[in-house]
Amino acid sequence: DGGITQSPKYLFRKEGQNVTLSCEQNLNHDAMYWYRQDPGQGLRLIYYSQIVNDFQKGDIAEGYSVSREKKESFPLTVTSAQKNPTAFYLCASNTGTGLNYEQYFGPGTRLTVT
Amino acid sequence: AQKITQTQPGMFVQEKEAVTLDCTYDTSDQSYGLFWYKQPSSGEMIFLIYQGSYDEQNATEGRYSLNFQKARKSANLVISASQLGDSAMYFCAMRVWSGKLTFGQGTILTVHP
């Protein structure tokens, strides 16, 4: 079945460590996105990529980095520079750049940093 | 810049009743798309319904309909015949030609038996 895979579902790290969140899609979508969600809040865009080897900062990119070496994969690294990394992280993708394209989401990764 | 406002942090509805979740938006773009997503406690995001800014008819998908009032910049979601499984967080979102989605803060809907 086509979809977006995020692993792991829960991730625990010590403060000061970098951590990489995985996102893989087999939908053949060009565009991929990373969002952060804090408890009881909406989704905020971290980074997005509309084509391989290209990506743009979203609204809250500080302390994060991404790469897009393959169409299927868009890993997110949460660096030690991110002040409050504990959050729920959602990866998404869609095909095309039209207005009506539904954005598909992965199941998310809950990151806890202590 | 685009902005989505959902003014109802929480809503309650009786099973089998209808409920309206409010959403207002702000953009200077003439072309845009409006989306509603459902997020159960598991965290997944489920697409519900889409309305384009030039669509003359209100969108409907099963028990979901979107009450689109362009002049008032509102895109309220109406859920008819509520079910217990409708209890979740609901997000309104907007896309302009950049492709990015801007989300509101969400409304938690609780359906009582």
Side-chain angles (χ1 to χ4, degrees), chain A residues 42-88:
Chain A
L43 279 64
R44 292 184 290 167
L45 183 64
I46 305 173
Y47 267 99
Y48 65 105
S49 167
Q50 293 182 325
I51 197 167
V52 174
N53 292 324
D54 188 43
F55 49 82
Q56 285 79 41
K57 293 182 180 179
D59 301 318
I60 55 164
E62 186 174 346
Y64 300 97
S65 66
V66 292
S67 62
R68 186 86 188 276
E69 296 175 3
K70 298 187 297 182
K71 189 175 185 177
E72 316 81 65
S73 178
F74 191 40
L76 173 75
T77 296
V78 185
T79 75
S80 55
Q82 169 48 234
K83 295 282 187 287
N84 297 296
T86 294
F88 185 51

Side-chain angles (χ1 to χ4, degrees), chain B residues 47-50 59-65:
Chain B
F47 166 74
L48 297 177
I49 197 166
Y50 166 82
T60 60
E61 289 286 348
R63 294 186 299 111
Y64 304 108
S65 60

Side-chain angles (χ1 to χ4, degrees), chain B residues 17-73:
Chain B
E17 302 276 308
V19 63
T20 297
L21 305 183
D22 293 343
C23 172
T24 58
Y25 61 91
D26 190 26
T27 181
S28 55
D29 286 57
Q30 296 301 308
S31 299
Y32 49 88
L34 296 156
F35 299 77
W36 277 92
Y37 281 85
K38 172 184 177 181
Q39 187 180 41
S41 56
S42 59
E44 63 190 302
M45 294 286 283
I46 302 167
F47 166 74
L48 297 177
I49 197 166
Y50 166 82
Q51 178 87 40
S53 59
Y54 292 115
D55 293 342
E56 294 185 354
Q57 304 244 343
N58 285 343
T60 60
E61 289 286 348
R63 294 186 299 111
Y64 304 108
S65 60
L66 201 151
N67 184 0
F68 180 47
Q69 297 188 44
K70 195 169 181 177
R72 298 179 63 184
K73 292 192 173 179

Side-chain angles (χ1 to χ4, degrees), chain A:
Chain A
D1 271 31
I4 300 176
T5 304
Q6 289 186 247
S7 60
K9 191 171 176 65
Y10 298 95
L11 191 53
F12 298 89
R13 280 293 183 272
K14 293 288 188 189
E15 200 173 316
Q17 293 179 333
N18 290 357
V19 59
T20 297
L21 280 58
S22 163
C23 176
E24 304 277 331
Q25 54 100 355
N26 61 1
L27 300 165
N28 199 34
H29 285 172
D30 291 310
M32 296 186 73
Y33 306 81
W34 273 106
Y35 295 93
R36 170 185 172 133
Q37 186 179 25
D38 292 289
Q41 301 295 313
L43 279 64
R44 292 184 290 167
L45 183 64
I46 305 173
Y47 267 99
Y48 65 105
S49 167
Q50 293 182 325
I51 197 167
V52 174
N53 292 324
D54 188 43
F55 49 82
Q56 285 79 41
K57 293 182 180 179
D59 301 318
I60 55 164
E62 186 174 346
Y64 300 97
S65 66
V66 292
S67 62
R68 186 86 188 276
E69 296 175 3
K70 298 187 297 182
K71 189 175 185 177
E72 316 81 65
S73 178
F74 191 40
L76 173 75
T77 296
V78 185
T79 75
S80 55
Q82 169 48 234
K83 295 282 187 287
N84 297 296
T86 294
F88 185 51
Y89 291 87
L90 283 157
C91 179
S93 71
N94 61 250
T95 185
T97 54
L99 290 174
N100 62 335
Y101 288 108
E102 174 192 341
Q103 201 159 92
Y104 293 79
F105 285 81
T109 293
R110 291 191 188 274
L111 174 65
T112 302
V113 177
T114 56

